[in-house]
Amino acid sequence: MLAPAKNDNKRRGILMMLLACLFFSLMDAVMKALSAHYPAIQVTAMRAISSMPLIIAYVVWRKATPTLFDVRWPLHLFRVVVGIAMLTSFAFALKTLPLTEAYALFFISPLLIAALSIPFLGEKVSRASWIAIVFGMLGVLVVLKPSGEGLISWAGVAILGSAACYAFSAITVRLLGRTDSSESMVFWLMFGMSIGAALLARQVWKPILAEDYGLIMLLAGAGFVGQLAITE
């Protein structure tokens, strides 16, 4: 039987994951709308840049500025790279795939995370968890239909790549969480993605339409809350 403190940590972790799923779903819906008008890499840049003022304010409010530089830089850099790849692949797929089908394909990520947690984190995945994952994968197949039409398109491949990047990012967060602060993980991810994605998007950048600024503000807020929750 788990000690009360461990029970509290588990409940808090479950609550944070549910909160992250809620706000990331909202964020993805906004990305779907934006991806119809802007290149995928620009959508990634807008998502990261728009969140930076909120993240800076959060770090200052938490008085966590001193913790920003006492970090494991290689892991942060790796997380920035996979973060850019993950969001750009996802935004690219959303140009042609319905959000429901994109999510069905993306649900392969729990299986990848469970598999990666064994060699990289030394964690044990319980039989009950594996059973839940298998049933979840069966649900994915039901949504995709036996023909698996979503898998044979570039958009389908992009979603699977995005799911793989998400799995590696989740494992990296777990490793960083042993030594680095939550604030540093959120800050350096968005800061690195802001610069990296903006540089990659400079050749294809399209002027932002006035009517899309409201969506970008919603993207910033949903992404900010979701990122804090998933990091916690």
Side-chain angles (χ1 to χ4, degrees), residues 18-36:
L18 292 173
L19 189 65
C21 289
L22 172 63
F23 279 92
F24 279 150
S25 296
L26 176 60
M27 183 191 80
D28 291 340
V30 176
M31 287 181 63
K32 169 75 173 174
L34 292 173
S35 66

Side-chain angles (χ1 to χ4, degrees), residues 32-48:
K32 169 75 173 174
L34 292 173
S35 66
H37 307 290
Y38 304 99
I41 188 65
Q42 183 177 344
V43 174
T44 299
M46 290 191 296
R47 182 266 182 268

Side-chain angles (χ1 to χ4, degrees), residues 96-117:
T96 55
L97 281 181
L99 196 57
T100 51
E101 189 171 338
Y103 261 96
L105 284 166
F106 197 81
F107 280 152
I108 196 174
S109 56
L111 177 61
L112 296 176
I113 292 171
L116 290 172
S117 70

Side-chain angles (χ1 to χ4, degrees), residues 6 9 11 69 76 97 101 112 117 119 211 218 224:
K6 289 187 177 181
N9 285 338
R11 281 192 288 267
F69 298 95
H76 282 278
L97 281 181
E101 189 171 338
L112 296 176
S117 70
E211 57 265 30
L218 185 58
F224 169 69

Side-chain angles (χ1 to χ4, degrees), residues 219-230:
L219 180 70
F224 169 69
V225 177
Q227 197 63 54
L228 285 181
I230 197 69

Side-chain angles (χ1 to χ4, degrees), residues 64-73 76 176 178-182 184-185 188:
T65 307
T67 71
L68 293 184
F69 298 95
D70 186 18
V71 297
R72 290 190 280 176
W73 294 110
H76 282 278
L176 284 169
R178 296 172 177 175
T179 55
D180 298 6
S181 68
S182 298
S184 69
M185 286 188 279
W188 290 118

